[in-house]
């Protein structure tokens, strides 16, 4: 099965930056798309950013201009560069794989506070 492992979360001050990584292993479909989602306590899980197999990027309006999604196909890894972080970005961030089957990572926690 496809497995996803997120890393890079942590505690950061407002205005700071973090880079999240999601490494996929297993049988990776060539047409797979990847996405980052987040979920804060009491909220629904929401799409943050996605990247398709043909390199189309999508962003939630709340992170547009601050976050950047990218992928390194040789490493089967997708990244989320997060800049100008705000307290409202605090959440557990999940990596999602969509390539015939759907898989989720275990999540990595991001906390933005002074």
């Amino acid at each position: 099965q496809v497995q996803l492992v997120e890393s890079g979360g942590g505690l950061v001050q407002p205005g700071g930056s973090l880079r999240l990584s999601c490494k996929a292993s297993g049988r990776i479909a060539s047409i797979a798309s990847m996405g980052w989602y987040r979920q804060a306590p009491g909220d629904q899980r929401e799409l943050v950013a996605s990247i398709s197999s043909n390199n189309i990027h999508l962003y939630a309006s709340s992170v547009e201009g601050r976050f950047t999604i990218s992928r390194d196909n040789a490493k089967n890894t997708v990244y989320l560069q997060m800049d100008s972080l705000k307290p409202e970005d605090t959440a557990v961030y999940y990596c999602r794989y969509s390539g015939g089957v759907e898989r989720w990572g275990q999540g990595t926690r991001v906390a933005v506070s002074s």
Side-chain angles (χ1 to χ4, degrees):
Q1 293 189 41
V2 174
Q3 293 181 308
L4 307 175
V5 179
E6 301 102 328
S7 61
L11 175 64
V12 65
Q13 292 184 315
S17 297
L18 286 172
R19 190 182 75 161
L20 306 184
S21 298
C22 174
K23 183 172 178 60
S25 61
R27 294 182 294 174
I28 310 302
S30 62
I31 61 171
S33 62
M34 304 291 295
W36 285 99
Y37 291 70
R38 67 186 181 188
Q39 187 169 23
D43 293 340
Q44 293 184 316
R45 189 171 298 185
E46 64 177 358
L47 175 68
V48 177
S50 66
I51 183 167
S52 69
S53 60
N54 56 345
N55 206 35
I56 302 299
H57 296 203
L58 293 174
Y59 297 95
S61 61
S62 59
V63 307
E64 182 74 53
R66 299 189 297 119
F67 291 10
T68 304
I69 190 169
S70 62
R71 66 196 306 167
D72 185 334
N73 291 331
K75 297 181 179 180
N76 289 324
T77 301
V78 62
Y79 304 95
L80 185 67
Q81 177 67 43
M82 305 186 295
D83 298 320
S84 301
L85 283 162
K86 304 175 180 180
E88 51 263 45
D89 296 318
T90 297
V92 178
Y93 285 71
Y94 297 91
C95 182
R96 182 192 180 215
Y97 165 93
S98 181
V101 297
E102 183 180 87
R103 294 287 184 269
W104 293 87
Q106 82 289 344
T108 185
R109 296 182 182 273
V110 172
V112 185
S113 65
S114 299

